[in-house]
């Protein structure tokens, strides 16, 4: 979202650790970036590059010690998570942010880290199927379900749930219209969009997204026409 | 995939450009990384960090001039694509790789770049709805469809199609069993997996993934039990 002084900022802390699953990080990142007032912090102990389990380097921008108050705390999962289960300093940071955050969230086995940081005690939460028993052992009411919302704890079970997971958070914070606008920008669920587009009076969000996309297409049309003309000369 | 000298390498060139859509890049990246023999090259003119339209830095690892022969050429879309439509050197590189590649592929408006590089002439292809007319103008048989496979050209229409798109490529190159294994590793389509798991004789792939996940859970169980014990002391 472009900077707009009228929109109150929301700070989103997305935690990185070595051998995380990068898609559990990047899919919600994309949605979060469309939230009104979004200020995303890529948190890690230092700002050195962190490699995902599939070898993709991701660059933190905020060291743990400089983390601001967070509206949303998010943590992904991944193979490297095992080492963090024993990292008292890492878990302590999670606990501190999570106790003050408006929303405490995770994807996949990331929920194990929230639980190890004592952030899910007395809550229902989900994780991937192979971690459900461990989550239960950590004193959490583990549920086998795609996405679980229990008060301000929002957890998703699978790597591939990043988009619906983050849209659920968008819905909880901003309501249905924002979700609809983000879906349109991402062309998510095209069948449903086609249906909505056929409604006689489209909402402001629909009109905005359509105008933006058509404007972009117009600019590109000019470039393509010029290129075709040059090739014809 | 771990290095295995018995598996012939496949080289995958994933092209980066400023203001790309990062999810169109990262979602197929995750699937490609699971292909047998996968060697992924993050291609850009230089190896300086490239910022996505949502502000995520991605780090190229192979400058254009050092690109190897590619088995798969992949290009994402994004707002920054407009500038590349006029970049003859950029398009020239795409053309060279695409003419020799086994598969030429794109997501979203990335298809416009393949078309501008003359790689889709005489092919059916798809792109996002607001770019379909432009693709047509570039001499391509533009089709409104989630994923289009026409011989070795594989294109997907939307940002959010990265996973099914890359699984389609996996299927074309390696067949159904590899797709099934990747789906299991990513817990993709859990309903279908539950069904498959109930089959009396699971395939080798199923057994492999299950063993891997159970092993990981066992290691984590030990860590968690130790932590709980320490807290009780």
């Amino acid at each position: 979202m472009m900077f707009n002084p009228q929109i109150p900022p929301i700070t989103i802390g997305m935690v990185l650790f070595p051998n995380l699953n990068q898609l559990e990080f990047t899919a919600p990142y994309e949605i979060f970036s469309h939230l009104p007032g979004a200020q995303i912090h890529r948190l890690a102990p230092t700002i050195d590059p962190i490699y995902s389990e599939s070898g993709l380097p991701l660059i933190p921008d905020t060291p743990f010690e400089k983390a601001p108050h967070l509206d949303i705390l998010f943590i992904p999962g991944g193979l490297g998570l095992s080492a963090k289960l024993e990292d008292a300093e890492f878990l302590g940071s999670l606990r501190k942010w999570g106790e003050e955050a408006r929303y405490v969230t995770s994807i996949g086995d990331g929920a194990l880290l929230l639980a190890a940081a004592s952030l899910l005690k007395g809550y229902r939460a989900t994780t991937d199927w192979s971690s459900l028993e461990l989550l239960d052992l950590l004193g959490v009411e583990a549920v086998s379900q795609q996405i679980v919302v229990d008060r301000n704890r929002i957890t998703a079970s699978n790597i591939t749930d990043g988009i619906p997971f983050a849209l659920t958070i968008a819905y909880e914070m901003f309501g249905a219209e924002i979700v609809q606008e983000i879906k349109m920008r991402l062309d998510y669920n095209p069948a449903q969009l086609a249906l909505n587009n056929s409604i006689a009076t489209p909402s402001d969000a629909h009109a905005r997204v359509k105008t933006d996309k058509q404007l972009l297409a117009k600019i590109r049309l000019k470039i393509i026409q010029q290129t075709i003309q040059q090739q014809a000369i």
Side-chain angles (χ1 to χ4, degrees), chain A:
Chain A
M1 279 264 147
M2 264 177 296
F3 178 69
N4 181 336
Q6 293 187 311
I7 297 175
I10 57 163
T11 53
I12 304 165
M14 301 184 73
V15 181
L16 291 162
F17 56 83
N19 291 312
L20 80 161
N21 182 289
Q22 62 88 11
L23 187 54
E24 291 183 18
F25 184 90
T26 53
Y29 182 99
E30 195 59 25
I31 306 289
F32 288 159
S33 74
H34 287 282
L35 294 181
Q39 295 184 346
I40 301 178
H41 295 267
R42 300 186 300 278
L43 299 168
T46 74
I47 56 169
D48 293 332
I50 285 184
Y51 287 80
S52 78
E53 53 178 49
S54 56
L56 188 74
L58 292 167
I59 316 291
D61 65 354
T62 309
F64 273 13
E65 54 177 15
K66 290 197 178 159
H69 167 86
L70 298 178
D71 291 303
I72 302 173
L73 169 64
F74 166 77
I75 188 147
L79 291 174
L81 180 150
S82 310
K84 294 296 147 194
L85 284 172
E86 309 183 88
D87 186 336
E89 217 175 311
F90 186 92
L91 297 176
S93 296
L94 288 189
R95 188 178 308 121
K96 188 187 70 189
W97 300 323
E99 281 170 354
E100 296 170 359
R102 284 170 63 197
Y103 293 92
V104 175
T105 71
S106 66
I107 299 190
D109 44 18
L112 295 178
L113 288 175
L114 294 183
S118 305
L119 288 168
L120 293 179
K121 241 169 221 156
Y123 287 90
R124 294 169 73 245
T126 193
T127 185
D128 73 285
W129 64 265
S130 59
S131 302
L132 281 167
E133 280 180 48
L134 298 178
L135 195 59
D136 185 72
L137 200 74
L138 284 160
V140 181
E141 194 185 328
V143 186
S144 175
Q145 198 172 297
Q146 192 195 15
I147 294 164
V148 172
V149 180
D150 184 3
R151 287 155 285 167
N152 72 341
R153 264 58 171 177
I154 303 178
T155 49
S157 56
N158 293 328
I159 299 169
T160 55
D161 291 333
I163 297 171
F165 158 79
L167 287 174
T168 301
I169 297 170
Y171 178 81
E172 293 286 327
M173 292 187 88
F174 296 100
E177 174 129 358
I178 289 286
V179 171
Q180 195 55 27
E181 178 163 350
I182 296 173
K183 277 183 170 182
M184 274 199 81
R185 289 205 184 274
L186 271 64
D187 293 320
Y188 188 58
N189 202 348
Q192 192 198 327
L193 283 175
L195 193 72
N196 289 336
N197 283 342
S198 71
I199 296 168
T201 328
S203 73
D204 286 359
H206 283 179
R208 243 190 338 262
V209 177
K210 263 203 165 164
T211 308
D212 285 358
K213 295 220 179 202
Q214 281 164 348
L215 188 67
L216 189 65
K218 228 182 231 175
I219 293 166
R220 290 175 176 178
L221 176 63
K222 270 197 195 150
I223 297 171
I224 288 171
Q225 282 171 334
Q226 277 170 4
T227 313
I228 291 173
Q229 221 167 9
Q230 280 165 2
Q231 284 169 351
I233 290 166

